[in-house]
């Protein structure tokens, strides 16, 4: 989920010269992983400490083995559900929509909260890769919301315009659309979070390039935008 949202994010190789090595046998902790894919490890955040100007994330696997990861050298995604207040002008979204009757309908929206100062790519709408069970009329959508309003012909739907070039069907959020949020703010990492580490093995050491954390509590839009609602902001209620 959300792969198209983070495909453009830079991943840096990290040499953990000062951390405790994890054996390559730990890759077996993810039995569903394809052997041809880069390795992933499951872990839990046990400590966040500071060394000089660098913050260090300490994680442990089920066997109690620990790994120290300098946060300045890795990409971080923190995922949780969110509310419709995140879907507003200026928000960067990703979604998969289905085209019917010359309109595109979206059931779930992924909102990306970039790190401070991070530039996001221009929007794009394109055919989704073929997947078993998915509609042949599925499209991937990503971009910054330029306008949002109720559909005048179908009041149960919300129309979106994003900064994607070219011609494509009108984007419509369904009445009960879901919102998922991905924050890249490393300060939101907390002890106890479950994380997935992407990286590679080198001489018995796991070199982390990206951390994906799952936040138990949903993100609340008022925490980011304030409690006051914007005039004309659509809502599911």
């Amino acid at each position: 989920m959300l792969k198209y949202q983070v495909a453009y994010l830079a991943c840096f190789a990290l040499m953990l010269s000062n951390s405790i090595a994890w054996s390559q046998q730990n890759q077996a902790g993810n039995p569903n992983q394809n052997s041809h894919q880069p390795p992933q490890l499951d872990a839990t955040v046990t400590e966040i400490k500071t060394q000089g100007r660098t913050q260090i994330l300490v994680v442990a696997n089920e066997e109690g083995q620990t790994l120290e990861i300098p946060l300045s050298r890795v990409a971080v995604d923190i995922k949780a559900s969110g509310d419709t207040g995140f879907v507003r002008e200026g928000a960067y979204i990703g979604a998969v929509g289905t085209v019917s009757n010359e309109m595109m309908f979206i059931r779930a929206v992924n909102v990306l909260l970039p790190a401070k100062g991070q530039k996001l790519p221009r929007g794009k709408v394109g055919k989704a890769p073929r997947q078993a069970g998915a509609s042949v009329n599925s499209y991937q959508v990503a971009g910054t919301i330029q306008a949002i309003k109720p559909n005048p012909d179908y009041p149960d739907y919300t129309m979106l315009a994003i900064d994607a070039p070219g011609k494509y069907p009108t984007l419509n959020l369904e009445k009960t659309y879901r919102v998922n949020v991905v924050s890249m703010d490393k300060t939101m990492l907390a002890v106890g979070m479950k994380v997935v580490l992407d990286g590679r093995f080198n001489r018995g050491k796991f070199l982390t390039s990206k951390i994906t954390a799952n936040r138990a509590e949903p993100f609340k839009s008022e925490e980011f935008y304030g409690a006051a609602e914007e005039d004309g902001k659509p809502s599911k209620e």
Side-chain angles (χ1 to χ4, degrees):
M1 185 176 62
L2 306 181
K3 289 183 179 179
Y4 50 91
Q5 277 189 311
V6 298
Y8 55 85
L9 302 179
C11 291
F12 302 97
L14 173 61
M15 296 299 294
L16 301 177
S17 57
N18 296 321
S19 62
I20 300 174
W22 278 13
S23 166
Q24 192 162 351
Q25 293 178 348
N26 291 327
Q27 186 176 350
N30 193 339
N32 297 321
Q33 185 174 323
N34 188 314
S35 60
H36 298 291
Q37 295 177 340
Q40 290 184 329
L41 299 179
D42 297 323
T44 302
V45 178
T46 59
E47 185 182 359
I48 301 174
K49 60 184 182 180
T50 301
Q51 291 182 356
R53 296 183 178 180
T54 302
Q55 280 208 312
I56 307 294
L57 190 75
V58 183
V59 299
N61 61 11
E62 291 183 352
E63 288 73 35
Q65 295 173 303
T66 60
L67 184 68
E68 296 188 0
I69 308 170
L71 290 177
S72 60
R73 302 182 183 180
V74 297
V76 173
D77 283 353
I78 302 174
K79 299 181 179 181
S81 60
D83 57 69
T84 57
F86 284 102
V87 183
R88 58 178 64 205
E89 291 184 16
Y92 193 92
I93 67 166
V96 174
T98 303
V99 174
S100 177
N101 296 325
E102 300 182 348
M103 292 191 296
M104 190 181 305
F105 298 95
I106 297 171
R107 295 182 178 179
V109 177
N110 304 308
V111 178
L112 179 63
L113 304 178
K116 185 177 181 180
Q118 180 189 5
K119 291 185 177 181
L120 296 173
R122 191 178 181 186
K124 183 178 181 180
V125 177
K127 197 80 171 178
R130 292 292 301 273
Q131 292 184 352
S135 170
V136 296
N137 293 320
S138 294
Y139 284 76
Q140 289 182 341
V141 176
T144 301
I145 297 176
Q146 303 295 299
I148 180 170
K149 65 179 183 179
N151 189 317
D153 298 320
Y154 302 92
D156 286 342
Y157 296 91
T158 301
M159 296 172 60
L160 293 179
I162 62 173
D163 64 337
K167 296 183 64 176
Y168 47 87
T170 302
L171 308 181
N172 288 272
L173 301 177
E174 296 193 4
K175 181 180 180 179
T176 57
Y177 72 91
R178 302 186 309 277
V179 179
N180 300 304
V181 177
V182 179
S183 172
M184 301 179 68
D185 184 355
K186 298 176 182 181
T187 65
M188 289 188 173
L189 289 169
V191 173
M193 277 186 172
K194 301 295 183 182
V195 297
V196 176
L197 309 179
D198 286 272
R200 62 186 178 88
F201 286 99
N202 182 26
R203 297 181 181 180
K205 293 182 179 181
F206 187 76
L207 312 180
T208 305
S209 60
K210 179 182 173 184
I211 301 167
T212 301
N214 293 308
R215 173 170 146 153
E217 302 82 13
F219 284 109
K220 297 180 180 180
S221 58
E222 58 264 28
E223 294 176 356
F224 295 87
Y225 305 113
E229 295 293 334
E230 294 183 0
D231 292 338
K233 184 184 72 63
S235 173
K236 290 192 297 183
E237 280 76 34

